[in-house]
Amino acid sequence: MARAWRLGLTGGIGSGKSTVAAVLAELGAAVIDADALARSVTAPGGLAIAAIRQVFGDDFITEAGALDRDRMRTLAYADTSARQRLEAIIHPLVSQATWRQASVAEASGHACLVFDVPLLVESAHWRRKVDQVLVVDCDAETQISRVMTRSALERSAVQAIIAAQASRERRLKAADAVIYNDGISLAVLREHVHALAASFGLSLTHHPDPAQLA
């Protein structure tokens, strides 16, 4: 069996990266979502909870037994070392889950594995693990507007998130392919994804199993 094509997908918050991932999934790619995996290990009963409690204390765990994301976000943006300590707990667990999912997807015959990783450019190792990097790009003001609308965050909060991520210039420099998702319709965005699909081993004639996408 041929090795699956490994595509790293990234973009700043509000860029439309998740929408691009969904279109790639429709075309038959197996999408491995690092954010979803991080949420799973910090959910009630998640594998990271005991270590987070030990390192940060009970105040950072909700009554339901999950990571208190709001409290941690406030601490992490104020204290770089706190963010590093949290990442040291979460990242190894997410990495293990990522490669488990990748192995299952490749064994089931997927021609393309899409690693949806928000911090791909910031990582020291991700570029070596993928064949190409696809960046979803847009203007900073568009990012701010989208996130304020969807998440009801203040402008300053969104700007802080953007500042904590890799710069737009750094992401573009790391890209093998770029989709500029600004001022276009969803239909046009889908056309851009379809135009790149063949180079990732995907077929526009693929008809996904609805159960597979659930």
Side-chain angles (χ1 to χ4, degrees):
M1 184 177 68
R3 174 185 175 278
W5 186 259
R6 296 181 177 186
L7 178 67
L9 174 64
T10 195
I13 187 171
S15 64
K17 176 175 59 62
S18 296
T19 303
V20 170
V23 177
L24 289 167
E26 290 173 5
L27 296 174
V31 177
I32 297 138
D33 185 339
D35 261 358
L37 293 173
R39 288 192 295 272
S40 73
V41 301
T42 57
L47 295 176
I49 294 301
I52 292 170
R53 189 189 302 274
Q54 182 176 7
V55 172
F56 294 98
D58 290 339
D59 288 345
F60 288 86
I61 306 299
T62 68
E63 290 184 7
L67 170 66
D68 187 326
R69 291 184 171 275
D70 291 338
R71 186 183 289 270
M72 183 59 74
R73 185 181 298 113
T74 300
L75 176 65
Y77 285 126
D79 180 357
T80 302
S81 69
R83 186 163 63 248
Q84 292 170 342
R85 282 178 283 149
L86 180 64
E87 290 173 351
I89 295 169
I90 293 176
H91 285 185
L93 297 172
V94 170
S95 179
Q96 292 166 17
T98 293
W99 295 108
R100 280 197 301 271
Q101 284 194 7
S103 295
V104 170
E106 190 163 24
S108 67
H110 286 276
C112 178
L113 308 180
V114 176
F115 297 92
D116 182 347
V117 184
L119 302 181
L120 185 147
V121 173
E122 293 88 329
S123 164
H125 72 275
W126 261 111
R127 187 61 187 87
R128 299 192 300 271
K129 294 180 178 295
V130 296
D131 298 306
Q132 279 191 314
V133 171
L134 171 60
V135 170
V136 186
D137 181 50
C138 67
D139 293 337
E141 192 57 39
T142 300
Q143 289 181 266
I144 293 169
S145 175
R146 287 173 178 167
V147 179
M148 286 177 66
T149 300
R150 81 182 186 199
S151 302
L153 292 175
E154 296 290 335
R155 169 177 285 268
S156 59
V158 182
Q159 289 173 323
I161 294 170
I162 292 173
Q165 296 181 334
S167 68
R168 184 181 180 189
E169 293 72 21
R170 185 177 172 191
R171 277 194 299 271
L172 291 174
K173 187 175 181 180
D176 296 298
V178 177
I179 291 176
Y180 185 60
N181 180 29
D182 208 330
I184 62 175
S185 66
L186 176 58
V188 173
L189 176 60
R190 292 174 67 88
E191 288 176 6
H192 290 329
V193 178
H194 286 195
L196 291 171
S199 65
F200 305 145
L202 298 171
S203 170
L204 298 185
T205 61
H206 178 81
H207 298 287
D209 177 354
Q212 207 173 42
L213 300 178

